[in-house]
């Protein structure tokens, strides 16, 4: 599984930190919005109650004035105005007229009062143009949208009181009419206008709503607004109009039978919360972007240099001692990276020195091992020459001397570490010829392909194996001793094989010999084969070395194997 980078970890951490804050703020904002909505409902309902109470008080005042005027003694005398003198009649009408005008001036609402006398022709009124006598009486406030005759064209609410109250017919009674104009209602509606852009209307499903002064008719009122009152005289609910949310608060007027309705656009009221919420989310996004930028800066300026240092250390650990780092301009890592380069230089120099010293040590060890081979063979040759000289066998002495001279001429070239297989075969041929002179029962053959003769190998690689076959195998054979030397190329490997017909070794003895090949002891009775094996392992790679097994001739088979590269192949 791919490991998450430091940059992604930091971004995830920032998101995990901001998400709970955003959720908590969203919940807090939602709760605050609900509280504000409830406060708006409560406040609007209280405002409507105050306005409605004032309106009801004004209506009650007008009604009380009508009642007071109806029971006034002057009103009672007006029923018998025909029995009064002209002066008394004019004086009585003037007194009543003065009372009506005085009330109109003292009233807090715009109202006109008209008194119809029993004769049906005479009337007293605060209006410039007296209205006609009503055909029907309204004991409660009734809305008149348009007037007829001498009545005003303005819509109004009207209420009648007759005296006596229990008169059988209105023709014999004094009728008092009060007109409350919609301008008075509009003044109360104007007082309800709020700074949030809300407004109020007086609503009745049978008529057009009464709106504040100077307000244009709202499109949704023209389309036929219907109040959802749920049969309650007061309440609040939400209304969506043209994709805008409104808080609708209403309260019914007991005197008028109309409902005072207030509209408050929530968008205007909740705009501070919406603005705060918008700025919070913008701030959150900005913080997220800044956090990501800071994480990227930290990742590029700190994490990447650390990764470079780590990768350089791993490369150095794998053996790439030439690894160096480019020193950045950052002071924080310039010292560390330059220090790493200096340390790598020192370590590489130390390793090279140690390696060169090891090579020199190995070369000295190889030369020592080569020198260890000489005495063992020299003793045998000198002993043979001495014996042949005693018997006057000059031919044998001459042959032995020639072969021994060629042999030691080759052996004394210690400064040459490598030779060709052809020269090595010539050395072995001289060596076997010397032993054949000493041992008449020795038979040997050498069969190496010509393309193998020119290949380079370390000096004295084949002779110790042949010597080991003579000393440990042929010397113990009663009959004819045989040594066969062959050569071949197998894949990327060259192979020289030495077989003898000496005494067959057991599997255990063969296994012990294989273990002795890797022994670290330098001086030992079986140092010859071990010397060859160790030199092959140090000089060549792969499976190079000395392999020993049973020979088909009955004795031991030794395979000298070493790897060669493509350049040597060509």
């Amino acid at each position: 599984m791919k490991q998450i980078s430091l940059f992604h970890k930091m971004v995830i951490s920032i998101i995990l930190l901001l998400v709970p804050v955003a959720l908590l703020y969203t919940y807090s904002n939602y709760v605050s919005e609900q509280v504000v909505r409830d406060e708006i409902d409560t406040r609007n309902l209280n405002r409507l109650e105050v306005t409605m109470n004032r309106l009801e008080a004004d209506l009650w005042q007008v009604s009380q004035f009508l009642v007071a005027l109806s029971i006034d003694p002057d009103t009672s005398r007006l029923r018998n105005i025909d029995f009064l003198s002209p002066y008394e009649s004019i004086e009585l009408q003037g007194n009543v007229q003065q009372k009506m005008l005085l009330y109109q001036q003292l009233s807090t609402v715009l109202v006109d009062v008209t008194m119809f006398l029993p004769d049906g022709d005479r009337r007293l009124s605060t209006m410039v143009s007296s209205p006609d006598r009503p055909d029907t009486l309204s004991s409660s406030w009734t809305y008149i949208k348009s007037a007829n005759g001498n009545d005003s064209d303005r819509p109004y609410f009207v209420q009648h009181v007759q005296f006596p109250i229990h008169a059988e017919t209105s023709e014999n009674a004094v009728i008092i009419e009060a007109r409350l104009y919609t301008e008075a209602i509009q003044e109360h509606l104007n007082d309800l206008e709020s700074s949030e852009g809300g407004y109020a209307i007086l609503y009745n499903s049978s008529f057009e709503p009464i709106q504040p002064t100077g307000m244009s008719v709202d499109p949704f009122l023209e389309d036929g607004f219907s109040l959802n009152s749920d049969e309650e005289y007061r309440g609040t609910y939400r209304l969506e109009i043209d994709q805008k949310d409104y808080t609708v608060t209403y309260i019914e007027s007991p005197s008028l039978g109309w409902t005072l309705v207030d509209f408050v656009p929530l968008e205007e009221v909740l705009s501070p919360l919406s603005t705060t919420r918008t700025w919070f989310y913008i701030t959150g996004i900005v913080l997220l972007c800044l956090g990501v930028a800071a994480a990227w800066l930290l990742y590029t300026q700190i994490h990447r240099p650390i990764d470079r240092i780590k990768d350089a250390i791993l490369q150095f650990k794998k053996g790439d001692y030439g690894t160096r780092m480019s020193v950045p301009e950052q002071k924080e890592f310039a010292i560390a990276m330059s220090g790493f380069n200096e340390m790598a230089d020192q370590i590489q120099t130390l390793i090279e020195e140690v390696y060169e010293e090891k090579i020199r040590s190995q070369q000295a060890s190889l030369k020592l091992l080569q020198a260890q081979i000489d005495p063992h063979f020299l003793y045998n040759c000198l002993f043979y020459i001495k014996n042949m000289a005693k018997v006057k066998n000059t031919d044998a002495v001459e042959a032995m001397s020639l072969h021994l001279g060629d042999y030691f001429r080759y052996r004394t070239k210690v400064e040459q570490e490598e030779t060709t297989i052809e020269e090595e075969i010539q050395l072995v041929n001289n060596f076997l010829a010397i032993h054949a002179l000493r041992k008449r029962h020795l038979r040997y053959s050498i069969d190496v392909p010509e393309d193998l003769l020119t290949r380079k190998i370390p000096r004295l690689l084949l002779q110790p194996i042949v010597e080991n076959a003579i000393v440990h195998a042929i010397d113990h054979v009663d009959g004819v001793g045989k040594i066969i030397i062959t050569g071949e190329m197998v894949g990327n490997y060259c192979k020289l094989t030495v077989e003898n017909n000496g005494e067959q070794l057991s599997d255990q003895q063969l296994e012990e010999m294989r273990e002795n090949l890797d022994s670290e002891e330098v001086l030992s009775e079986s140092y010859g084969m071990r010397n060859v094996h160790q030199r092959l392992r140090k000089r060549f790679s792969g499976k190079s070395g000395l392999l020993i097994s049973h020979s088909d001739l009955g004795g031991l088979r030794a395979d000298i194997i070493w790897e060669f590269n493509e350049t040597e192949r060509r």
Side-chain angles (χ1 to χ4, degrees), residues 21-33 281:
V21 176
L23 293 177
L24 183 61
Y25 175 80
T26 301
Y27 175 74
S28 175
N29 184 268
Y30 171 77
V31 173
S32 300
E33 186 174 319
Y281 289 135

Side-chain angles (χ1 to χ4, degrees), residues 92-315:
L92 179 60
Q93 293 183 44
N95 291 335
V96 174
Q97 183 78 25
Q98 287 295 328
K99 291 179 181 180
M100 291 190 299
L101 292 174
L102 179 62
Y103 172 75
Q104 185 185 40
Q105 294 176 357
L106 296 177
S107 176
T108 58
V109 294
L110 181 59
V111 62
D112 277 324
V113 180
T114 303
M115 181 178 293
F116 299 97
L117 301 183
D119 58 8
D121 295 328
R122 286 177 294 181
R123 58 187 69 96
L124 302 175
S125 178
T126 58
M127 300 173 62
V128 177
S129 177
S130 300
D132 297 334
R133 186 182 182 90
D135 297 329
T136 57
L137 302 181
S138 300
S139 59
S140 60
W141 292 101
T142 303
Y143 181 70
I144 305 299
K145 182 178 181 181
S146 59
N148 297 320
N150 295 327
D151 291 346
S152 172
D153 293 335
R154 295 179 297 174
Y156 57 88
F157 289 90
V158 65
Q159 186 180 32
H160 299 97
V161 175
Q162 67 176 5
F163 180 82
I165 297 175
H166 301 292
E168 295 180 359
T169 60
S170 59
E171 288 79 2
N172 297 325
V174 176
I175 299 175
I176 305 173
E177 178 185 272
R179 291 188 178 187
L180 179 65
Y181 296 101
T182 57
E183 286 86 342
I185 304 297
Q186 288 177 330
E187 290 181 1
H188 288 284
L189 297 179
N190 292 336
D191 294 338
L192 284 174
E193 289 186 9
S194 61
S195 59
E196 294 87 2
Y199 58 90
I201 62 172
L202 197 63
Y203 172 79
N204 188 289
S205 59
S206 301
F207 303 97
E208 293 182 358
I210 300 175
Q211 303 183 58
T213 305
M215 174 184 171
S216 59
V217 180
D218 209 313
F220 79 87
L221 295 177
E222 290 183 342
D223 294 339
F225 167 73
S226 178
L227 180 66
N228 183 18
S229 62
D230 295 332
E231 299 182 356
E232 295 182 0
Y233 79 97
R234 57 181 289 175
T236 302
Y237 66 92
R238 302 285 181 265
L239 179 65
E240 182 177 354
I241 304 172
D242 295 334
Q243 297 180 349
K244 292 183 179 180
D245 291 331
Y246 288 83
T247 293
V248 180
T249 307
Y250 62 92
I251 184 169
E252 187 177 354
S253 171
S255 301
L256 299 178
W258 286 51
T259 303
L260 183 60
V261 184
D262 182 57
F263 298 90
V264 176
L266 290 177
E267 181 179 356
E268 298 292 336
V269 178
L270 300 178
S271 59
L273 289 177
S274 300
T275 303
T276 304
R277 181 173 62 248
T278 302
W279 277 109
F280 174 81
Y281 289 135
I282 293 175
T283 304
I285 294 173
V286 172
L287 289 177
L288 179 61
C289 295
L290 292 177
V292 172
W296 178 253
L297 183 65
L298 184 64
Y299 176 74
T300 55
Q301 299 298 317
I302 296 180
H303 184 71
R304 281 187 174 177
I306 292 176
D307 272 349
R308 289 176 55 200
I309 295 176
K310 180 191 69 175
D311 294 339
I313 293 174
L314 291 177
Q315 288 295 113

Side-chain angles (χ1 to χ4, degrees), residues 349-517:
T349 301
L350 181 61
I351 290 175
E352 289 176 352
E353 292 177 354
V354 171
Y355 184 72
E356 291 176 357
E357 182 63 27
K358 185 177 179 181
I359 291 177
R360 288 194 294 268
S361 176
Q362 289 178 353
Q363 290 175 349
S365 176
L366 289 176
K367 291 181 180 180
L368 177 61
L369 290 174
Q370 291 176 7
Q372 289 177 351
I373 300 174
D374 295 341
H376 184 271
F377 175 68
L378 181 60
Y379 297 151
N380 294 330
C381 292
L382 292 177
F383 184 76
Y384 175 80
I385 293 174
K386 179 181 74 72
N387 290 336
M388 292 298 103
K390 282 183 178 183
V391 297
K392 309 296 183 180
N393 189 350
T394 57
D395 293 335
V397 172
E398 182 183 7
M400 176 64 74
S401 299
L402 291 175
H403 287 301
L404 189 60
D406 292 339
Y407 175 77
F408 276 104
R409 186 182 299 110
Y410 178 82
R411 287 292 304 271
T412 54
K413 297 179 182 179
V414 181
E415 69 279 359
Q416 295 183 358
E417 296 182 359
E418 290 187 346
T419 185
T420 62
I421 294 179
E422 182 178 7
E423 292 178 351
E424 190 75 7
I425 291 296
Q426 184 63 39
L427 173 67
V428 171
N429 186 57
N430 290 327
F431 183 75
L432 288 173
I434 292 172
H435 280 281
L437 291 174
R438 293 178 56 242
K439 301 176 180 63
R440 299 297 180 178
H441 63 283
L442 175 61
R443 303 289 184 272
Y444 65 92
S445 65
I446 301 175
D447 183 15
V448 177
E450 292 185 2
D451 57 347
L452 195 61
L453 294 176
T454 58
R455 295 197 175 274
K456 296 286 187 177
I457 60 172
R459 298 177 72 251
L460 297 177
L461 198 65
L462 183 59
Q463 185 269 340
I465 306 302
V466 176
E467 182 180 0
N468 185 80
I470 294 175
V471 174
H472 297 285
I474 301 303
D475 287 347
H476 301 285
V477 176
D478 294 334
V480 177
K482 295 180 180 181
I483 294 178
I484 300 176
I485 301 175
T486 58
E488 62 177 336
M489 288 191 299
V490 181
N492 292 333
Y493 289 89
C494 294
K495 181 170 68 172
L496 292 176
T497 303
V498 179
E499 297 182 82
N500 63 76
N501 64 340
E503 182 181 356
Q504 185 175 8
L505 301 177
S506 65
D507 292 338
Q508 183 178 357
Q509 290 175 322
L510 193 63
E511 186 63 31
E512 290 177 357
M513 290 183 65
R514 291 170 179 167
E515 293 177 357
N516 290 334
L517 294 178

